Amino acid sequence: MHAQSVVLFGGTGFIGSHLAARLSEHAIDIVVPTRHESHAMHLMPLGVDIVQADPYDDTALRKLVAGRDAVINLVGILHSRRGSPYGPDFRRAHVDLPHRIAAACAIEGVPRYLHMSALGAARNGPSMYQRSKADGEAAAASQPSVAATIFRPSVVFGPEDKFLNMFARLQRHLPVVPLACAHARFQPVYVGDVAEAFVRALLDPHTAGLTYELGGPQVYELAELVRLAGRYAGHERKVIALPDALARLQAMLFELLPGEPVITRDNLDSMKVDNVLEPSRDNKVLTTAALGIKLTALEAVAPQYLAPPGGLDVLRARAGR
């Protein structure tokens, strides 16, 4: 497999940092655009080329992708101001940017575009997030000369994740956890497996034009995941399932607080649909099995990164290991 040169948008984030590490192991030249170089300093030991640039500047975007073998886009957000059919922030990050990237690739002759979507993406989905992700997939595949490969992960876990770590932090401070959508179902997938899926797809030209839905080996209800996060962190609390009306009131209050909200009404709308893999009748929608990836169980890694200092031995003792 020959060395390639890729541009990795979103490379400074949680998934992007893991993917950059995996790409570097294959002697692939990696360019990571960022508006703030300080956000990418942790990637420097990997030999990543960090470029300060605005991806929404079409001239800068064309310059970034020119001469590359592929572009990978991981950019995504969880919250947006409300709007129809989805908020302006979702439109900018999930739809406008993929469209700009695909167009720049077509102009500059870049043959491959690997795009991060989300499990549950649907143009008629109940949430703004899901609708914007679906339109983002269409934007990514809008250029006939650019072969797009789409990835739809369930919630992604691993060190520095904003999911299990958030619930672990909450349980350090709360006597109980009032939980919205407690019975919503997820199929968490390990960040290392997501990164591996991108790498294998990049190195295999036969994955062009395909979509991969990424889920872990086990399905959990949200309440189960919250309890596991607390248990592994050493302070499991009682989970109280909130009725829908109280859940929406809670979300509205979080939206009014400064900073990034813990949960929003749009998040609640997303959880109306189980975030799990379903059998597909489309032969262009595959899973990690088609890439030959052995999936990592949540229980195999979460105790290690959630455990308090010195707490892993205690957790193993409790489990009889």
Side-chain angles (χ1 to χ4, degrees), residues 193-232:
D193 296 339
V194 174
E196 183 66 18
F198 271 85
V199 171
R200 294 193 185 193
L202 175 67
L203 298 177
D204 182 357
H206 296 99
T207 63
L210 300 178
T211 295
Y212 292 90
E213 296 192 332
L214 311 179
Q218 188 170 341
V219 173
Y220 303 83
E221 288 191 348
L222 181 58
E224 293 179 84
L225 292 169
V226 172
R227 284 191 285 267
L228 284 174
R231 187 178 310 157
Y232 295 151

Side-chain angles (χ1 to χ4, degrees), residues 139-223:
S142 62
Q143 299 294 330
S145 65
V146 183
T149 304
I150 308 294
F151 299 85
R152 298 174 182 157
S154 183
V155 63
V156 182
F157 70 91
E160 294 86 45
D161 70 44
K162 294 184 178 180
F163 185 65
L164 293 180
N165 276 297
M166 177 188 70
F167 287 122
R169 286 194 300 271
L170 286 174
Q171 290 176 83
R172 292 192 187 103
H173 306 291
L174 298 177
V176 297
V177 180
L179 186 66
C181 303
H183 301 295
R185 297 165 71 234
F186 294 87
Q187 197 164 346
V189 60
Y190 179 51
V191 64
D193 296 339
V194 174
E196 183 66 18
F198 271 85
V199 171
R200 294 193 185 193
L202 175 67
L203 298 177
D204 182 357
H206 296 99
T207 63
L210 300 178
T211 295
Y212 292 90
E213 296 192 332
L214 311 179
Q218 188 170 341
V219 173
Y220 303 83
E221 288 191 348
L222 181 58

Side-chain angles (χ1 to χ4, degrees), residues 40-287:
M41 291 300 101
H42 63 288
L43 299 177
M44 291 189 68
L46 300 175
V48 171
D49 185 9
I50 300 166
V51 178
Q52 188 166 346
D54 179 2
Y56 294 94
D57 180 327
D58 290 332
T59 301
L61 186 55
R62 286 181 55 181
K63 184 178 179 181
L64 278 169
V65 306
R68 309 297 176 186
D69 298 299
V71 170
I72 300 174
N73 177 28
L74 304 178
V75 174
I77 58 175
L78 288 175
H79 311 298
S80 174
R81 290 165 289 167
R82 301 185 72 82
S84 180
Y86 35 74
D89 308 299
F90 281 149
R91 175 179 291 280
R92 178 174 167 83
H94 294 168
V95 185
D96 291 348
L97 182 59
H99 188 272
R100 290 173 182 271
I101 292 173
C105 288
I107 293 170
E108 297 298 335
V110 180
R112 296 286 308 275
Y113 175 22
L114 282 67
H115 177 76
M116 177 71 89
S117 183
L119 197 60
R123 301 194 77 170
N124 61 348
S127 72
M128 298 189 298
Y129 175 83
Q130 292 164 329
R131 295 191 293 271
S132 69
K133 280 293 191 179
D135 282 353
E137 290 184 10
S142 62
Q143 299 294 330
S145 65
V146 183
T149 304
I150 308 294
F151 299 85
R152 298 174 182 157
S154 183
V155 63
V156 182
F157 70 91
E160 294 86 45
D161 70 44
K162 294 184 178 180
F163 185 65
L164 293 180
N165 276 297
M166 177 188 70
F167 287 122
R169 286 194 300 271
L170 286 174
Q171 290 176 83
R172 292 192 187 103
H173 306 291
L174 298 177
V176 297
V177 180
L179 186 66
C181 303
H183 301 295
R185 297 165 71 234
F186 294 87
Q187 197 164 346
V189 60
Y190 179 51
V191 64
D193 296 339
V194 174
E196 183 66 18
F198 271 85
V199 171
R200 294 193 185 193
L202 175 67
L203 298 177
D204 182 357
H206 296 99
T207 63
L210 300 178
T211 295
Y212 292 90
E213 296 192 332
L214 311 179
Q218 188 170 341
V219 173
Y220 303 83
E221 288 191 348
L222 181 58
E224 293 179 84
L225 292 169
V226 172
R227 284 191 285 267
L228 284 174
R231 187 178 310 157
Y232 295 151
H235 32 250
E236 182 180 354
R237 309 300 188 199
K238 183 178 180 179
V239 175
I240 299 176
L242 293 178
D244 291 346
L246 279 180
R248 295 198 78 81
L249 177 59
Q250 181 193 59
M252 288 178 65
L253 292 174
F254 277 125
E255 290 174 24
L256 295 174
L257 296 175
E260 186 174 0
V262 174
I263 194 168
T264 66
R265 286 169 289 172
D266 195 62
N267 298 150
L268 299 184
D269 291 337
S270 289
M271 287 188 281
K272 291 177 180 178
V273 179
D274 286 336
N275 200 244
V276 300
L277 302 184
E278 300 288 354
S280 175
R281 297 179 182 178
D282 188 341
N283 59 9
K284 290 189 176 182
V285 178
L286 307 173
T287 68

